[in-house]
Amino acid sequence: MADDLDTMSAHIERLGDSAIKLQSLSAQAMRDGDPAKAQDLATQAMLLMGKKAELHARRRDLEATGEQWIAMLDKLDDLDQKAKRAKTHMHEAQDTVEAAKTVLGAVGKILTVL
């Protein structure tokens, strides 16, 4: 998998470099007074940038399905479950505190009457 990502990164970098070169050639053609050639080179540069973006998106997809991501998502799910249990325990503790306050209030009233 790492080899695939490295290969894709190399292709992405080459596409970007090629697009930059085409843009430079386009600018040179414009300076040389050849707007048709400049437009053609600029169009090719834009197409390469589109391919670069497409490969970059595929690379992100591959990274997102990698073993490290899956392990991290499993850990996040585990933490989410622990947080839900902690929240439930906290609510139970709050209920216990409220019940204790009620009992203490009733005991206080009884003691006041006595």
Side-chain angles (χ1 to χ4, degrees):
M1 168 109 155
D3 291 338
D4 292 339
L5 293 177
D6 292 340
T7 301
M8 287 186 88
S9 293
H11 287 307
I12 290 168
E13 188 174 326
R14 273 188 252 142
L15 283 173
D17 291 344
S18 296
I20 290 169
K21 288 177 186 173
L22 285 172
Q23 289 171 341
S24 296
L25 290 172
S26 174
Q28 182 63 44
M30 188 60 88
R31 286 191 298 272
D32 291 344
D34 193 351
K37 184 176 180 180
Q39 180 62 43
D40 183 47
L41 290 169
T43 301
Q44 290 178 30
M46 291 302 294
L47 291 172
L48 282 180
M49 292 303 282
K51 290 293 182 185
K52 178 185 172 188
E54 191 177 309
L55 272 179
H56 191 64
R58 284 186 193 167
R59 185 177 189 282
R60 275 194 318 259
D61 288 345
L62 281 174
E63 287 176 332
T65 58
E67 293 174 21
Q68 290 175 338
W69 277 99
I70 292 170
M72 185 183 72
L73 291 174
D74 288 344
K75 287 180 183 179
L76 286 173
D77 287 342
D78 185 49
L79 286 173
D80 187 46
Q81 290 299 320
K82 287 179 181 178
K84 286 178 184 176
R85 284 192 300 268
K87 186 176 179 180
T88 300
H89 292 308
M90 187 175 69
H91 286 298
E92 289 172 356
Q94 285 176 333
D95 291 344
T96 302
V97 167
E98 290 302 318
K101 284 180 184 178
T102 303
V103 169
L104 287 175
V107 169
K109 287 179 185 177
I110 293 172
L111 289 176
T112 305
V113 171
L114 293 176

